[in-house]
């Protein structure tokens, strides 16, 4: 009971923090980069990362297996993976617009995981025999980390395409390309 309450609290705290972080990122993108706002958003993502980490560890202790056995746990782990991708450039002191993409991806995956659509699967259950293997941790965690990297790369390429098209003022009208 205490684990599920702690899990519920941590999920909503991390979602609230990442909501504030994405708002700060949108403000800094639309208006001007303000150093204080940018630093607070990075600290907010670190707090989100820590909340999700504690959430995953709590779920691991409570269920007795690595939390990757259902959609809810996989989405939470995907949010954790995206926050790791967000934090790596922060510690390397590289300021990039990757943080806006990863923060928005975290908020969407956290939002879907905590939405009312998945309330039945929030409860941890015993693993099916096919998942009771030592390979669960390595295989599924690397697969979800790969999904997170692929998602960030795809969103970055779409953002680059949009910025390039906007810069060159290329216009598409009914499938015809105008320069």
């Amino acid at each position: 009971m205490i684990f599920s309450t702690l899990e519920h609290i941590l999920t909503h705290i991390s979602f609230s923090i990442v909501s504030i972080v994405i708002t700060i990122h949108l403000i800094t993108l639309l208006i001007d980069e303000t150093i204080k706002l940018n630093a607070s958003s990075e600290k907010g993502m670190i707090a989100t990362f820590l909340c999700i980490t504690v959430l995953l560890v709590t779920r691991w202790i409570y269920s007795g297996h690595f939390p990757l056995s259902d959609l809810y746990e996989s989405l939470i782990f995907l949010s954790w993976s995206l926050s790791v991708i967000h934090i790596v450039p922060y510690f390397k002191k590289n300021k990039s617009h990757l943080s806006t993409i990863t923060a928005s991806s975290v908020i969407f995956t956290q939002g879907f995981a905590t939405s009312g659509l998945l309330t039945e699967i929030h409860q941890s259950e015993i693993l099916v025999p096919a998942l009771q293997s030592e390979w669960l941790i390595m295989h599924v965690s690397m697969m979800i980390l790969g999904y997170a990297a692929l998602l960030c790369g795809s969103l970055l390429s779409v953002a680059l395409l949009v910025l390039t098209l906007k810069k060159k003022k290329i216009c598409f009208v009914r499938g015809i390309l105008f320069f």
Side-chain angles (χ1 to χ4, degrees), residues 21 35 38 46 51 64 69 103 107 124 135 150 159 162-163 171 178:
V21 166
I35 295 172
N38 202 10
I46 291 172
C51 283
S69 63
I107 196 169
S124 183
W135 287 101
L150 180 66
V162 167
L163 291 175
C171 180
F178 294 101

Side-chain angles (χ1 to χ4, degrees), residues 44-146:
M45 277 306 286
I46 291 172
T48 301
F49 169 75
L50 292 175
C51 283
I52 295 173
T53 303
V54 172
L55 170 70
L56 287 171
V57 169
T58 303
R59 186 123 176 142
W60 192 351
I61 291 169
Y62 177 67
S63 65
H65 59 81
F66 196 66
L68 290 172
S69 63
D70 57 12
L71 181 61
Y72 172 73
E73 293 172 347
S74 297
L75 286 173
I76 296 296
F77 192 79
L78 181 63
S79 295
W80 181 83
S81 302
L82 289 167
S83 5
V84 167
I85 292 172
H86 181 94
I87 289 173
V88 168
Y90 174 72
F91 285 125
K92 289 189 172 192
K93 306 292 184 213
N94 293 338
K95 302 297 181 202
S96 66
H97 294 295
L98 175 68
S99 58
T100 305
I101 291 172
T102 55
S104 59
S105 300
V106 169
I107 196 169
F108 285 126
T109 54
Q110 280 281 92
F112 185 68
T114 58
S115 70
L117 299 173
L118 303 175
T119 54
E120 297 85 30
I121 63 171
H122 282 233
Q123 300 301 322
S124 183
E125 296 177 0
I126 298 173
L127 286 176
V128 295
L131 294 177
Q132 293 176 356
S133 170
E134 298 300 322
W135 287 101
L136 173 72
I137 295 172
M138 180 58 82
H139 175 74
V140 180
S141 62
M142 290 299 118
M143 180 191 68
I144 292 179
L145 281 169

Side-chain angles (χ1 to χ4, degrees), residues 11-27 41 44-45 48 103-104 106-108 110-111 114:
T11 302
H12 289 290
I13 288 173
S14 64
F15 182 73
S16 301
I17 292 172
V18 82
S19 300
I20 294 168
V21 166
I22 194 67
T23 305
I24 291 171
H25 277 292
L26 289 175
I27 290 171
S41 69
M45 277 306 286
T48 301
S104 59
V106 169
I107 196 169
F108 285 126
Q110 280 281 92
T114 58

